Each structure stands twice: as structure tokens, then as C-alpha cells.
Amino acid sequence: MTDLALEKTAAAAPHRASPALLGIGALLIVAYGVLPLVASEYLFDAILTPFLALALAGLGLNILTGYAGQVSLGSSAFMAVGAYAAYNLALRLPGVPFLVDILLAGLVAAAVGLLFGLPSLRLRGFYLAVSTLAAQFFVQWVFNKVGWFSNNSPSGIVTVPPLSVAGLPLDSSAGRYLFALGVVTAVTLAVWRLVESPTGRALVALRDHETAARVIGIPVLRVKLLAFAVSSFIIGVAGVLWAFAYLRTVEPAGFNLDRSFQILFIVIIGGLASLRGAFLGAALIVVFPLLLSRLGEALLGGLFDSGVLEMSQRIVLGLLIVTFLIAEPAGLAALLDRLWNRAWNWISGRFRRTG
Amino acid sequence: MPAVLSEAFVSPAAGTVPSALAVEALSLSFGGVTALSDISFAVAPGEIRAVIGPNGAGKSSLLNVVSGLYQPDRGRVWLGGHSFAAVPTDRLAKLGVSRTFQNLALFKGLSVLDNVAAGLSHRLRAGLFAQVIGLPAARRERAEGYARAEELLAFLHLDGVRDRPAGTLPYGMQKRVELARALVARPRLLLLDEPMAGMTLTEKRDLSGHIRAARDDLGTTIVLIEHDVGVVMGLSDRIAVLDYGRLIADGTPDQIRNDPVVIDAYLGVAHDLEAGEGI
């Protein structure tokens, strides 16, 4: 990038700050005020609620991988821990409010994440990524093997109790959506505060130059473990939403390696170290298969069955990821930024010419 | 040589004015290759001390031992009245020591301001929760850090680029950001590993001025490795010369300029003179 281009974006920044806030405000109004009134059950159950849960998981992984630079391939294990912890807390401690259950489930996931984060103190890059696979397989194995976690259900699949907060039943599609939205809004706000804080700065410092970070006195080991714990906490909460707001059942197979990769793809496609990226990536991952199946049906009719759909999903998604890694490593977030800048320059250019 | 050195050598143990840095009989080898061999010297507070020598002489190894990135096989390092067999890198900043690296070691994804403010990391007290909630103490700490960083940006004329990601700046400016990050905590001792490598003549002159200002205005003791002997002669109070891991001379620029051993090391048969180098 040339100096000139940089100065231009820097100069545009003050103008952009308020549109960004306006944009977030508008999104929140639509999400809280408009959608609950107009959206269909299908939109809630098949798109919006899973989108929120996956966006939150993406947000959690982004802290670890995008900000702190530690690759993890075991995200869905922590979703599983969160989901099973919340299920067992609700089952075994019926008096405890569900919001407390969520908090505790997140803390359990954080503790497990901390444990599986210990190898990061000695391993990095590819070797660390492989060691996070251990979390994936071990956790899934435990939930399959130990009946206690699923209340000795013979099929291994358990149905979670209906969602209610402070006596208010939220078991309708819109209710579960609103509940997920509330949790995601609160966690996103906290994450935004985190990445803007000195601790967030330490995460990036660790990613960009670990030796320099040590020399200036950043407690590298502590920050690494903190990244694992916070990331696993958020992914655990995402698991609670996945189980209680979206599926309303819990089974180990739902949190397999495919899901972990899905979350990783959300972060890569959306944009590493970008909060918006997690939401953009999750939107793409949720909406894209639906669009693809509609498109396939329209073009090929009966030939486009579920097997073909699944295969073509994988192929197109793979192509997308390779394309993003090569052409736009900073993901959809950066892509949109660039488009927005271009549009802004075009608009302000026109104004200058006419005015 | 050690006999001559012992007069200049003032460790806290000797009971006189403590040196800002002293190394005592340091030896380091990598799998049979000797990087440092029995090196002793002391740097007085407020001094600008250059370390020069041909490529592979052990200069960077010396700084890496002093900052704890390498552990010496033998010898000790004295820093701020403490003696270490292996310097604890994690406590380096608390000991009042900061350093820059030969190759840029900036946090590319952070803004210039955040890079410099990160230099105060060792002073942070507020926990994660306090930072996220925004408790007054955490907010004050964060604001003070940025205020200090802004001062340093002004000091090094970097205020114009404060919000740019450090990785997008031209090379010479990135070097200056690294210097700002090293200076922001007001270190007692600053170690600079080839701060001017790859700079133009004007940039070198500017940076020399900044280094001298750091010593004069902030009272920082400076140890720098530098290849450009012309710059070194003008900037430093004393110069240590390394060759093949040994300290072959240590004295004022005038002494070094006329030292036959030094001239031999630079012009002798064993080493090739690098383009642009010379005395």
C-alpha cells in the first residue's frame, strides 16, 4: 500500500466513526425491534438463532486465533462442554436461575480450555493445532462414554428443558431468538471492551512478536492461558445457545470435528482479529448452504438431492476458503471496509464536484 | 586484557559507583562454535557505549545474553545492582532495561500508539475484569499509558502516524517506533541492536540525534551495536570491539581509531571488509 492511500484512509476515519455507530444502532433496532415482529418461525429456527450461536463461537475462537495467534482445531469440544455443563446444571440444580447456569457452564468450558491450553506454553503453530485436536477427540469420547453426562439416556441424545428466564417462558421461536440475541449482545460488548483494553493489546503483541512481548514485560504464559480461558468461556456459552436456543437437544455427534472446522472457517472467511468478521463469517456459513440448495434445485431440479447438495457445499466452501486465504486474508470484514471506502470516496467526490 | 579491564570494572560488589551494566567473564558457545569468550566490561551510568566488530563477532549474542534470551555457559551479568547467571527476560523491563532488535520486532497489527504504549506493559496493575468493566483505576492506568506514549511520539516526531498500523510504515520509521517503545518506560539501560541498519544517511543522522537526546534528556544509559563506524565514532563515549567472540579493545573513540589490533581485525586477512564499512 502506498503512503498516499494510507493517508486517505486515515483522513476518512473520523467521518467513518459515526456512520459505524449509526450502523450498529440500526442493526440493533432491526434485531430487537423489527425482526421479532415480522420474522417467520423458519427464519428464526433455521437462520437467525443458529447464526447467533455460531457468530458467538466465531467471536470466541477469534480471540484465541485472530487476536492471540494460537490456532485451535478443537472449538466444538468447548461448545460441547458448555452445552453439557448447562444441561447437567439445569437437571441437577433445578433451583438455580438459568442465567447463572450459563455463567457456570462458561466457566467450566474455560477451565477445560485452560487445561487444553497448557500445551501452548511449549508448542506453537502446526504442533499446537494438532494438540488442540486432542481436546476435540477426548471431549467427544468422554461424552459418548460416560452416561452420567447425558443422564444415562440410552440413545445418548438428551432433550434440554424449555428455556425460561426469571419465570418468563422463552420457548417460542421468537423467544429463543431473543434470548440468544441478548446473550450475544452482552458478550460482544464485553469482547469489544476486552480487545480495546491493554489486555487485548497484549494478545496481539503475543501474536505479532512473542520475544518482543516478553522483553517489554508482557507475562506471555499468563496471557496465552488467559486467551484460551476467555475463548473457551465464550465458545462454551455459544454451545449453551446452540443446545438450548437452537437445537433443544444435546448429543456428542453434534459437536464433532466438522463443527470445529466450521467455526474456524467462520473466522477465516469473516476476518481474523475482527469482531464484525465473526458475524459476517457466521452469516455466510449459515445462509450459504440454503442459497446453494435453492440454486441447485432451480438449475438441476430433481438431480440435486441431499447427497449432491452436501458434496457441492463442501466443494464451494473449500474454494471460498482458498480464495479468501489468497486474495483477502483479512476476510469479509476487510472486503466490506474497502467497498465502503470506495463508495465513500465516490460519494464525497461527487459532492465536491457538484457542490 | 583482563588486568587492564579490572580497573575500569566497577561491579556493585566492588563497592564503588554501581555500573549501569557489567558483564563478568561471559562465555557462550553454540554446539562447539564459540560466540563469546571470557568477555568482561562495564558501562557507567549515562554512558553511550558502542559495541562494534565484524559480522559474527558475537555482538548480538552479547546483547541477547544481557537481555536473557541466551543463557551464558559461564560468567555473570550485573544489572541495576543485581547479579545474574541467567538474566530473567520476564523481569527485564522491571529491572529498568529495554532493548530493540536487529530485525524489526514491532507488533505489526497494532497502531503506532499502541505499540509504544505496550512498552509500559510491565507496569499494568488492573486485572482483566477491571479493564472490561472499566473500573476507574483501570481507566486511569490506560489513559496514563497513552499519555506517556503520546509524549514519546512527540519526542521522536512520530505524532503524525500515531494511528497507523505499525507494519505499514516505511522501514526507517518503524525503527523509530521501536525506539519509542523501548524508551517509553524511561529505562535506566537501553540496548540497541543495529538501530541504524538499512537507513539512509539523513535517517542515521536523525536517529543519532534522538539517541543522544534520550541520554541527555532522559538520562538513559545506552549500549548500541552498530556497523557504521563513522556514526559510532561521533556518537559514543566509549567503544568495545569484539572479534571472534573476544573483546579485543575497549576505549574512547580516539583510542579505538588508533588501536593496531582493531585495525588488524577490520583490515586483516581473516575478515573481509563489508562494503560501506571501515574506519
mmCIF file of all heavy atoms in Angstrom, chain B residues 138-176:
data_model
loop_
_atom_site.group_PDB
_atom_site.id
_atom_site.type_symbol
_atom_site.label_atom_id
_atom_site.label_comp_id
_atom_site.label_asym_id
_atom_site.label_seq_id
_atom_site.Cartn_x
_atom_site.Cartn_y
_atom_site.Cartn_z
ATOM 1 N N ALA B 138 -8.494 1.152 36.355
ATOM 2 C CA ALA B 138 -8.088 0.615 35.060
ATOM 3 C C ALA B 138 -8.130 1.708 34.002
ATOM 4 O O ALA B 138 -7.252 1.792 33.141
ATOM 5 C CB ALA B 138 -8.996 -0.544 34.667
ATOM 6 N N ARG B 139 -9.166 2.551 34.071
ATOM 7 C CA ARG B 139 -9.280 3.616 33.069
ATOM 8 C C ARG B 139 -8.164 4.627 33.215
ATOM 9 O O ARG B 139 -7.593 5.100 32.226
ATOM 10 C CB ARG B 139 -10.647 4.298 33.195
ATOM 11 C CG ARG B 139 -11.670 3.510 32.417
ATOM 12 C CD ARG B 139 -13.094 3.896 32.589
ATOM 13 N NE ARG B 139 -13.402 5.289 32.853
ATOM 14 C CZ ARG B 139 -14.564 5.655 33.411
ATOM 15 N NH1 ARG B 139 -15.435 4.733 33.763
ATOM 16 N NH2 ARG B 139 -14.817 6.921 33.610
ATOM 17 N N ARG B 140 -7.823 4.937 34.474
ATOM 18 C CA ARG B 140 -6.756 5.903 34.719
ATOM 19 C C ARG B 140 -5.433 5.350 34.179
ATOM 20 O O ARG B 140 -4.686 6.029 33.480
ATOM 21 C CB ARG B 140 -6.650 6.189 36.223
ATOM 22 C CG ARG B 140 -5.977 7.502 36.534
ATOM 23 C CD ARG B 140 -5.940 7.766 38.029
ATOM 24 N NE ARG B 140 -7.143 7.368 38.730
ATOM 25 C CZ ARG B 140 -7.174 6.465 39.710
ATOM 26 N NH1 ARG B 140 -6.049 5.866 40.093
ATOM 27 N NH2 ARG B 140 -8.296 6.162 40.316
ATOM 28 N N GLU B 141 -5.184 4.083 34.497
ATOM 29 C CA GLU B 141 -3.946 3.435 34.074
ATOM 30 C C GLU B 141 -3.807 3.466 32.546
ATOM 31 O O GLU B 141 -2.748 3.788 32.006
ATOM 32 C CB GLU B 141 -3.993 1.982 34.577
ATOM 33 C CG GLU B 141 -2.741 1.198 34.408
ATOM 34 C CD GLU B 141 -2.922 -0.187 35.029
ATOM 35 O OE1 GLU B 141 -3.616 -1.032 34.438
ATOM 36 O OE2 GLU B 141 -2.378 -0.402 36.096
ATOM 37 N N ARG B 142 -4.928 3.163 31.867
ATOM 38 C CA ARG B 142 -4.907 3.110 30.411
ATOM 39 C C ARG B 142 -4.646 4.509 29.840
ATOM 40 O O ARG B 142 -3.822 4.688 28.942
ATOM 41 C CB ARG B 142 -6.259 2.562 29.936
ATOM 42 C CG ARG B 142 -6.396 2.364 28.458
ATOM 43 C CD ARG B 142 -7.656 1.548 28.164
ATOM 44 N NE ARG B 142 -7.821 1.306 26.747
ATOM 45 C CZ ARG B 142 -8.559 2.075 25.950
ATOM 46 N NH1 ARG B 142 -9.196 3.105 26.455
ATOM 47 N NH2 ARG B 142 -8.662 1.798 24.665
ATOM 48 N N ALA B 143 -5.341 5.516 30.410
ATOM 49 C CA ALA B 143 -5.189 6.879 29.922
ATOM 50 C C ALA B 143 -3.761 7.374 30.160
ATOM 51 O O ALA B 143 -3.158 8.015 29.297
ATOM 52 C CB ALA B 143 -6.198 7.787 30.606
ATOM 53 N N GLU B 144 -3.210 7.050 31.333
ATOM 54 C CA GLU B 144 -1.835 7.481 31.628
ATOM 55 C C GLU B 144 -0.849 6.845 30.654
ATOM 56 O O GLU B 144 0.089 7.493 30.194
ATOM 57 C CB GLU B 144 -1.468 7.089 33.065
ATOM 58 C CG GLU B 144 -1.959 8.079 34.098
ATOM 59 C CD GLU B 144 -1.829 7.550 35.517
ATOM 60 O OE1 GLU B 144 -1.191 6.485 35.716
ATOM 61 O OE2 GLU B 144 -2.375 8.203 36.427
ATOM 62 N N GLY B 145 -1.074 5.578 30.360
ATOM 63 C CA GLY B 145 -0.202 4.886 29.408
ATOM 64 C C GLY B 145 -0.212 5.568 28.057
ATOM 65 O O GLY B 145 0.846 5.824 27.464
ATOM 66 N N TYR B 146 -1.419 5.907 27.576
ATOM 67 C CA TYR B 146 -1.499 6.567 26.276
ATOM 68 C C TYR B 146 -0.874 7.956 26.327
ATOM 69 O O TYR B 146 -0.229 8.394 25.374
ATOM 70 C CB TYR B 146 -2.950 6.643 25.799
ATOM 71 C CG TYR B 146 -3.438 5.337 25.199
ATOM 72 C CD1 TYR B 146 -4.631 4.749 25.597
ATOM 73 C CD2 TYR B 146 -2.679 4.696 24.221
ATOM 74 C CE1 TYR B 146 -5.066 3.551 25.041
ATOM 75 C CE2 TYR B 146 -3.100 3.496 23.665
ATOM 76 C CZ TYR B 146 -4.299 2.926 24.074
ATOM 77 O OH TYR B 146 -4.709 1.751 23.528
ATOM 78 N N ALA B 147 -1.046 8.653 27.469
ATOM 79 C CA ALA B 147 -0.457 9.988 27.579
ATOM 80 C C ALA B 147 1.070 9.901 27.501
ATOM 81 O O ALA B 147 1.715 10.689 26.796
ATOM 82 C CB ALA B 147 -0.902 10.646 28.883
ATOM 83 N N ARG B 148 1.639 8.913 28.212
ATOM 84 C CA ARG B 148 3.102 8.731 28.151
ATOM 85 C C ARG B 148 3.554 8.395 26.737
ATOM 86 O O ARG B 148 4.572 8.901 26.247
ATOM 87 C CB ARG B 148 3.528 7.597 29.097
ATOM 88 C CG ARG B 148 3.458 7.936 30.561
ATOM 89 C CD ARG B 148 4.586 8.886 30.953
ATOM 90 N NE ARG B 148 5.889 8.264 30.855
ATOM 91 C CZ ARG B 148 6.397 7.481 31.797
ATOM 92 N NH1 ARG B 148 5.720 7.269 32.901
ATOM 93 N NH2 ARG B 148 7.587 6.951 31.646
ATOM 94 N N ALA B 149 2.783 7.517 26.083
ATOM 95 C CA ALA B 149 3.127 7.125 24.721
ATOM 96 C C ALA B 149 3.074 8.329 23.785
ATOM 97 O O ALA B 149 3.954 8.503 22.933
ATOM 98 C CB ALA B 149 2.186 6.029 24.237
ATOM 99 N N GLU B 150 2.066 9.181 23.962
ATOM 100 C CA GLU B 150 1.960 10.386 23.120
ATOM 101 C C GLU B 150 3.187 11.281 23.298
ATOM 102 O O GLU B 150 3.690 11.851 22.337
ATOM 103 C CB GLU B 150 0.701 11.190 23.499
ATOM 104 C CG GLU B 150 -0.592 10.428 23.327
ATOM 105 C CD GLU B 150 -1.342 10.818 22.057
ATOM 106 O OE1 GLU B 150 -0.705 11.434 21.178
ATOM 107 O OE2 GLU B 150 -2.531 10.485 21.964
ATOM 108 N N GLU B 151 3.649 11.402 24.562
ATOM 109 C CA GLU B 151 4.852 12.205 24.816
ATOM 110 C C GLU B 151 6.032 11.679 24.009
ATOM 111 O O GLU B 151 6.775 12.433 23.389
ATOM 112 C CB GLU B 151 5.227 12.138 26.296
ATOM 113 C CG GLU B 151 4.466 13.075 27.199
ATOM 114 C CD GLU B 151 4.799 12.782 28.654
ATOM 115 O OE1 GLU B 151 5.969 12.438 28.942
ATOM 116 O OE2 GLU B 151 3.882 12.887 29.485
ATOM 117 N N LEU B 152 6.188 10.354 24.021
ATOM 118 C CA LEU B 152 7.308 9.741 23.311
ATOM 119 C C LEU B 152 7.167 9.938 21.807
ATOM 120 O O LEU B 152 8.154 10.163 21.100
ATOM 121 C CB LEU B 152 7.382 8.249 23.655
ATOM 122 C CG LEU B 152 8.575 7.818 24.487
ATOM 123 C CD1 LEU B 152 9.848 7.980 23.689
ATOM 124 C CD2 LEU B 152 8.668 8.648 25.756
ATOM 125 N N LEU B 153 5.937 9.856 21.300
ATOM 126 C CA LEU B 153 5.708 10.073 19.874
ATOM 127 C C LEU B 153 6.125 11.484 19.492
ATOM 128 O O LEU B 153 6.748 11.704 18.449
ATOM 129 C CB LEU B 153 4.234 9.845 19.518
ATOM 130 C CG LEU B 153 3.722 8.405 19.608
ATOM 131 C CD1 LEU B 153 2.302 8.323 19.069
ATOM 132 C CD2 LEU B 153 4.620 7.455 18.835
ATOM 133 N N ALA B 154 5.802 12.437 20.361
ATOM 134 C CA ALA B 154 6.195 13.816 20.075
ATOM 135 C C ALA B 154 7.716 13.948 20.126
ATOM 136 O O ALA B 154 8.322 14.571 19.250
ATOM 137 C CB ALA B 154 5.537 14.759 21.077
ATOM 138 N N PHE B 155 8.319 13.310 21.112
ATOM 139 C CA PHE B 155 9.775 13.357 21.300
ATOM 140 C C PHE B 155 10.499 12.838 20.058
ATOM 141 O O PHE B 155 11.527 13.369 19.647
ATOM 142 C CB PHE B 155 10.115 12.523 22.537
ATOM 143 C CG PHE B 155 11.581 12.453 22.870
ATOM 144 C CD1 PHE B 155 12.264 13.575 23.299
ATOM 145 C CD2 PHE B 155 12.270 11.253 22.760
ATOM 146 C CE1 PHE B 155 13.611 13.505 23.615
ATOM 147 C CE2 PHE B 155 13.613 11.174 23.069
ATOM 148 C CZ PHE B 155 14.284 12.312 23.497
ATOM 149 N N LEU B 156 9.975 11.797 19.442
ATOM 150 C CA LEU B 156 10.624 11.186 18.280
ATOM 151 C C LEU B 156 9.945 11.590 16.969
ATOM 152 O O LEU B 156 10.130 10.942 15.936
ATOM 153 C CB LEU B 156 10.639 9.668 18.419
ATOM 154 C CG LEU B 156 11.536 9.120 19.534
ATOM 155 C CD1 LEU B 156 11.423 7.628 19.643
ATOM 156 C CD2 LEU B 156 12.988 9.506 19.305
ATOM 157 N N HIS B 157 9.125 12.640 17.016
ATOM 158 C CA HIS B 157 8.441 13.154 15.821
ATOM 159 C C HIS B 157 7.669 12.068 15.096
ATOM 160 O O HIS B 157 7.778 11.885 13.889
ATOM 161 C CB HIS B 157 9.452 13.802 14.864
ATOM 162 C CG HIS B 157 10.333 14.792 15.539
ATOM 163 N ND1 HIS B 157 9.829 15.898 16.192
ATOM 164 C CD2 HIS B 157 11.673 14.833 15.724
ATOM 165 C CE1 HIS B 157 10.833 16.587 16.717
ATOM 166 N NE2 HIS B 157 11.957 15.956 16.455
ATOM 167 N N LEU B 158 6.892 11.330 15.846
ATOM 168 C CA LEU B 158 6.074 10.282 15.234
ATOM 169 C C LEU B 158 4.587 10.608 15.367
ATOM 170 O O LEU B 158 3.739 9.789 15.015
ATOM 171 C CB LEU B 158 6.353 8.941 15.916
ATOM 172 C CG LEU B 158 7.677 8.254 15.580
ATOM 173 C CD1 LEU B 158 7.982 7.170 16.594
ATOM 174 C CD2 LEU B 158 7.644 7.671 14.190
ATOM 175 N N ASP B 159 4.245 11.792 15.863
ATOM 176 C CA ASP B 159 2.830 12.075 16.144
ATOM 177 C C ASP B 159 1.965 12.013 14.889
ATOM 178 O O ASP B 159 0.782 11.725 14.977
ATOM 179 C CB ASP B 159 2.622 13.407 16.874
ATOM 180 C CG ASP B 159 3.855 14.276 16.953
ATOM 181 O OD1 ASP B 159 4.768 14.034 16.150
ATOM 182 O OD2 ASP B 159 3.903 15.176 17.788
ATOM 183 N N GLY B 160 2.589 12.268 13.729
ATOM 184 C CA GLY B 160 1.796 12.265 12.506
ATOM 185 C C GLY B 160 1.276 10.897 12.106
ATOM 186 O O GLY B 160 0.363 10.789 11.293
ATOM 187 N N VAL B 161 1.867 9.839 12.661
ATOM 188 C CA VAL B 161 1.474 8.494 12.236
ATOM 189 C C VAL B 161 0.903 7.681 13.402
ATOM 190 O O VAL B 161 0.856 6.465 13.340
ATOM 191 C CB VAL B 161 2.677 7.723 11.634
ATOM 192 C CG1 VAL B 161 3.094 8.359 10.331
ATOM 193 C CG2 VAL B 161 3.840 7.665 12.612
ATOM 194 N N ARG B 162 0.430 8.357 14.441
ATOM 195 C CA ARG B 162 0.102 7.645 15.679
ATOM 196 C C ARG B 162 -0.943 6.553 15.484
ATOM 197 O O ARG B 162 -0.910 5.540 16.159
ATOM 198 C CB ARG B 162 -0.352 8.618 16.760
ATOM 199 C CG ARG B 162 -1.744 9.195 16.560
ATOM 200 C CD ARG B 162 -1.997 10.366 17.505
ATOM 201 N NE ARG B 162 -2.488 9.947 18.794
ATOM 202 C CZ ARG B 162 -3.761 9.680 19.071
ATOM 203 N NH1 ARG B 162 -4.676 9.741 18.126
ATOM 204 N NH2 ARG B 162 -4.124 9.319 20.281
ATOM 205 N N ASP B 163 -1.897 6.741 14.565
ATOM 206 C CA ASP B 163 -2.979 5.772 14.443
ATOM 207 C C ASP B 163 -2.742 4.747 13.339
ATOM 208 O O ASP B 163 -3.594 3.899 13.094
ATOM 209 C CB ASP B 163 -4.300 6.506 14.181
ATOM 210 C CG ASP B 163 -4.689 7.350 15.382
ATOM 211 O OD1 ASP B 163 -4.477 6.884 16.518
ATOM 212 O OD2 ASP B 163 -5.163 8.491 15.187
ATOM 213 N N ARG B 164 -1.625 4.838 12.652
ATOM 214 C CA ARG B 164 -1.400 3.877 11.567
ATOM 215 C C ARG B 164 -0.894 2.556 12.104
ATOM 216 O O ARG B 164 -0.144 2.513 13.079
ATOM 217 C CB ARG B 164 -0.409 4.467 10.565
ATOM 218 C CG ARG B 164 -1.148 5.377 9.600
ATOM 219 C CD ARG B 164 -0.242 6.159 8.731
ATOM 220 N NE ARG B 164 0.705 5.352 7.973
ATOM 221 C CZ ARG B 164 1.461 5.885 7.011
ATOM 222 N NH1 ARG B 164 1.360 7.146 6.706
ATOM 223 N NH2 ARG B 164 2.321 5.128 6.370
ATOM 224 N N PRO B 165 -1.301 1.443 11.469
ATOM 225 C CA PRO B 165 -0.742 0.149 11.873
ATOM 226 C C PRO B 165 0.769 0.170 11.652
ATOM 227 O O PRO B 165 1.235 0.596 10.588
ATOM 228 C CB PRO B 165 -1.414 -0.851 10.923
ATOM 229 C CG PRO B 165 -2.588 -0.142 10.352
ATOM 230 C CD PRO B 165 -2.267 1.321 10.374
ATOM 231 N N ALA B 166 1.524 -0.247 12.662
ATOM 232 C CA ALA B 166 2.977 -0.108 12.610
ATOM 233 C C ALA B 166 3.571 -0.809 11.395
ATOM 234 O O ALA B 166 4.549 -0.348 10.818
ATOM 235 C CB ALA B 166 3.587 -0.658 13.895
ATOM 236 N N GLY B 167 2.954 -1.920 10.975
ATOM 237 C CA GLY B 167 3.503 -2.703 9.871
ATOM 238 C C GLY B 167 3.450 -1.985 8.530
ATOM 239 O O GLY B 167 4.095 -2.405 7.578
ATOM 240 N N THR B 168 2.664 -0.903 8.435
ATOM 241 C CA THR B 168 2.525 -0.232 7.142
ATOM 242 C C THR B 168 3.483 0.945 6.981
ATOM 243 O O THR B 168 3.500 1.593 5.954
ATOM 244 C CB THR B 168 1.088 0.313 6.966
ATOM 245 O OG1 THR B 168 0.857 1.310 7.961
ATOM 246 C CG2 THR B 168 0.052 -0.789 7.121
ATOM 247 N N LEU B 169 4.305 1.217 8.006
ATOM 248 C CA LEU B 169 5.201 2.369 7.934
ATOM 249 C C LEU B 169 6.462 2.016 7.166
ATOM 250 O O LEU B 169 6.859 0.855 7.094
ATOM 251 C CB LEU B 169 5.600 2.814 9.346
ATOM 252 C CG LEU B 169 4.507 3.353 10.248
ATOM 253 C CD1 LEU B 169 5.103 3.720 11.595
ATOM 254 C CD2 LEU B 169 3.847 4.559 9.616
ATOM 255 N N PRO B 170 7.123 3.050 6.599
ATOM 256 C CA PRO B 170 8.421 2.796 5.977
ATOM 257 C C PRO B 170 9.430 2.309 7.025
ATOM 258 O O PRO B 170 9.299 2.591 8.219
ATOM 259 C CB PRO B 170 8.825 4.149 5.402
ATOM 260 C CG PRO B 170 7.827 5.124 5.840
ATOM 261 C CD PRO B 170 6.660 4.423 6.422
ATOM 262 N N TYR B 171 10.454 1.629 6.539
ATOM 263 C CA TYR B 171 11.408 0.946 7.402
ATOM 264 C C TYR B 171 12.026 1.854 8.468
ATOM 265 O O TYR B 171 12.012 1.528 9.665
ATOM 266 C CB TYR B 171 12.499 0.337 6.516
ATOM 267 C CG TYR B 171 13.577 -0.382 7.250
ATOM 268 C CD1 TYR B 171 13.379 -1.681 7.694
ATOM 269 C CD2 TYR B 171 14.810 0.225 7.488
ATOM 270 C CE1 TYR B 171 14.367 -2.359 8.369
ATOM 271 C CE2 TYR B 171 15.802 -0.444 8.165
ATOM 272 C CZ TYR B 171 15.569 -1.729 8.599
ATOM 273 O OH TYR B 171 16.550 -2.385 9.271
ATOM 274 N N GLY B 172 12.541 2.987 8.026
ATOM 275 C CA GLY B 172 13.236 3.876 8.976
ATOM 276 C C GLY B 172 12.308 4.328 10.093
ATOM 277 O O GLY B 172 12.715 4.440 11.257
ATOM 278 N N MET B 173 11.049 4.550 9.734
ATOM 279 C CA MET B 173 10.093 4.994 10.736
ATOM 280 C C MET B 173 9.749 3.869 11.710
ATOM 281 O O MET B 173 9.564 4.106 12.904
ATOM 282 C CB MET B 173 8.837 5.477 10.029
ATOM 283 C CG MET B 173 8.283 6.762 10.586
ATOM 284 S SD MET B 173 6.912 7.290 9.576
ATOM 285 C CE MET B 173 7.431 8.938 9.200
ATOM 286 N N GLN B 174 9.688 2.646 11.185
ATOM 287 C CA GLN B 174 9.417 1.505 12.081
ATOM 288 C C GLN B 174 10.535 1.376 13.112
ATOM 289 O O GLN B 174 10.300 1.092 14.284
ATOM 290 C CB GLN B 174 9.307 0.210 11.277
ATOM 291 C CG GLN B 174 8.083 0.152 10.399
ATOM 292 C CD GLN B 174 7.745 -1.255 9.960
ATOM 293 O OE1 GLN B 174 7.968 -2.221 10.684
ATOM 294 N NE2 GLN B 174 7.213 -1.380 8.763
ATOM 295 N N LYS B 175 11.774 1.612 12.655
ATOM 296 C CA LYS B 175 12.901 1.564 13.592
ATOM 297 C C LYS B 175 12.698 2.594 14.715
ATOM 298 O O LYS B 175 13.009 2.343 15.874
ATOM 299 C CB LYS B 175 14.204 1.866 12.835
ATOM 300 C CG LYS B 175 14.735 0.691 12.032
ATOM 301 C CD LYS B 175 15.643 -0.131 12.901
ATOM 302 C CE LYS B 175 16.455 -1.146 12.171
ATOM 303 N NZ LYS B 175 17.073 -2.131 13.055
ATOM 304 N N ARG B 176 12.189 3.762 14.326
ATOM 305 C CA ARG B 176 11.997 4.817 15.307
ATOM 306 C C ARG B 176 10.857 4.456 16.274
ATOM 307 O O ARG B 176 10.916 4.796 17.450
ATOM 308 C CB ARG B 176 11.698 6.145 14.599
ATOM 309 C CG ARG B 176 12.575 7.261 15.113
ATOM 310 C CD ARG B 176 12.129 8.599 14.625
ATOM 311 N NE ARG B 176 12.149 8.712 13.162
ATOM 312 C CZ ARG B 176 11.441 9.631 12.505
ATOM 313 N NH1 ARG B 176 10.687 10.483 13.148
ATOM 314 N NH2 ARG B 176 11.501 9.686 11.196
#
